[in-house]
Amino acid sequence: MFRDIAPRIVAGDFDPTFTVALMHKDNRLAVNFADHVGVPTVVGAAVHQLNTLALQRFAGDDSAAVIKVIEESIGLEARRHAPSASPIVAKNGDDR
């Protein structure tokens, strides 16, 4: 999975092959099923929260766009074209 997704992330390629919306749905179904059968999903629940944030912002983008949520929260962009980590400007105008 990461062999396919990681190169696209660092290249900034978020053209949809499997959208954030579909990933969110699948993750939600898995977490709900685990809850239903009494299996704890600490990591799954955390991933679901991250996917929910991505869904609110990047629903039509590829599932790799989840990295954009992380980038905005830390103020750095994870792209190959940047010779060094460069600050990004969040949607709210907060320059980090």
Side-chain angles (χ1 to χ4, degrees):
M1 178 179 180
F2 286 108
R3 248 183 303 170
D4 298 326
I5 294 174
R8 294 182 61 220
I9 288 172
V10 296
D13 177 7
F14 299 106
D15 291 336
T17 57
F18 188 73
T19 65
V20 170
L22 288 172
M23 179 178 62
H24 181 268
K25 175 199 56 94
D26 288 355
N27 184 244
R28 177 182 45 81
L29 291 172
V31 170
N32 287 349
F33 178 72
D35 286 345
H36 178 73
V37 296
V39 176
T41 58
V42 176
V43 173
V47 168
H48 183 63
Q49 289 178 338
L50 183 60
N51 290 344
T52 298
L53 292 170
L55 180 67
Q56 293 167 353
R57 304 283 309 285
F58 310 108
D61 283 358
D62 188 74
S63 58
V66 169
I67 192 70
K68 294 179 186 180
V69 174
I70 296 168
E71 289 174 337
E72 288 180 358
S73 70
I74 65 172
L76 296 174
E77 193 174 74
R79 300 288 180 279
R80 181 178 298 132
H81 65 269
S84 62
S86 58
I88 61 173
V89 176
K91 294 276 184 183
N92 66 4
D94 182 19
D95 192 10
R96 298 180 184 205

